[in-house]
Amino acid sequence: DIQMTQSPSSLSASVGDRVTITCRASQSISSYLNWYQQKPGKAPKLLIYAASSLQSGVPSRFSGSGSGTDFTLTISSLQPEDFATYYCQQSYSTLIFTFGPGTKVDIK
Amino acid sequence: QVTLKESGPVLVKPTETLTLTCTVSGFSLSNARMGVSWIRQPPGKALEWLAHIFSNDEKSYSTSLKSRLTISKDTSKSQVVLTMTNMDPVDTATYYCARICGTIWGYYYYMDVWGKGTTVTVSS
């Protein structure tokens, strides 16, 4: 199975900061990579699909990049509502989906 | 409006079988390039994908849980059912179902709409 890792596991940032989260796959997954945001007690929300496509309704401060094994999620200017946990997920193999372990973004 | 709603027992005993139902609305389980996934999240831990079923009835399971899981769908009822046998306290979690969508270009699949989740506790 394809394994996903994320770094850092947590970070502290201030409103207005540029934040970058990294996701790495154990083998090449082309651009079959999605990003989700989850707030405490809530279901995850899709932010980015196919590595860089912004889901409808998601603010443009969120962007995704990468292909192969290395991917990044960038928040260009962190807003108060962005404090959450972020997960990457591969869909290269439609037989087996895999999530990363998550990156928690909290207030500095 | 697309919605998914999970239902099932709040409490199950160890060794029992868990049956969860995901009732969908706003789309059909027969739509091309669509499916439903089940995902769980133990308290304070990460998301774990469990299984999915596509409109063509293609099914897949988590490698580590494959022997305990069965997924099925009833298109006429707009329901997807997941059963998990031999429940253990480590299976205590919030269980989510989510719609899978696929793009026409490149067949990129993603989970775009999620249910609110149902919390299942395994305890005697």
Side-chain angles (χ1 to χ4, degrees), chain B:
Chain B
Q1 181 189 7
V2 173
T3 64
L4 298 92
K5 185 172 184 178
E6 306 89 350
S7 58
V10 174
L11 179 67
V12 297
K13 291 182 169 55
T15 74
E16 288 186 340
T17 294
L18 172 68
T19 299
L20 295 172
T21 300
C22 177
T23 302
V24 310
S25 63
F27 73 102
S28 171
L29 294 174
S30 62
N31 286 1
R33 295 185 309 281
M34 283 190 181
V36 171
S37 270
W38 283 96
I39 305 98
R40 72 178 179 179
Q41 186 172 39
K45 296 190 176 181
L47 301 168
E48 178 183 18
W49 174 79
L50 299 177
H52 59 227
I53 186 166
F54 281 92
S55 55
N56 61 359
D57 215 39
E58 176 186 332
K59 304 167 188 176
S60 295
Y61 299 97
S62 161
T63 302
S64 61
L65 294 168
K66 186 172 185 175
S67 63
R68 299 173 53 204
L69 296 173
T70 303
I71 193 169
S72 62
K73 66 180 174 76
D74 185 330
T75 302
S76 65
K77 293 183 177 180
S78 296
Q79 292 181 333
V80 174
V81 175
L82 181 76
T83 63
M84 181 180 292
T85 61
N86 195 24
M87 293 292 284
D88 183 273
V90 299
D91 297 313
T92 294
T94 297
Y95 288 76
Y96 297 99
C97 61
R99 184 178 76 165
I100 304 170
C101 267
T103 62
I104 297 174
W105 43 274
Y107 294 95
Y108 292 92
Y109 289 96
Y110 49 89
M111 292 173 274
D112 68 334
V113 184
W114 294 60
K116 292 183 178 181
T118 186
T119 299
V120 177
T121 299
V122 184
S123 175
S124 54

Side-chain angles (χ1 to χ4, degrees), chain A residues 2-79:
Chain A
I2 298 171
Q3 306 301 318
M4 308 300 294
T5 58
Q6 288 182 235
S7 61
S9 57
S10 65
L11 65 91
S12 296
S14 300
V15 172
D17 284 353
R18 181 181 182 88
V19 170
T20 299
I21 298 168
T22 297
C23 176
R24 178 164 290 173
S26 60
Q27 66 181 71
S28 177
I29 57 171
S30 183
S31 296
Y32 292 87
L33 192 283
N34 307 316
W35 289 98
Y36 301 85
Q37 175 194 65
Q38 187 182 33
K39 296 181 180 179
K42 301 294 186 181
K45 172 188 174 182
L46 176 69
L47 299 176
I48 303 283
Y49 63 95
S52 60
S53 295
L54 191 67
Q55 172 68 352
S56 176
V58 174
S60 59
R61 63 180 180 272
F62 290 94
S63 64
S65 64
S67 67
T69 60
D70 295 322
F71 303 85
T72 59
L73 173 70
T74 300
I75 308 171
S76 60
S77 178
L78 197 67
Q79 298 301 299

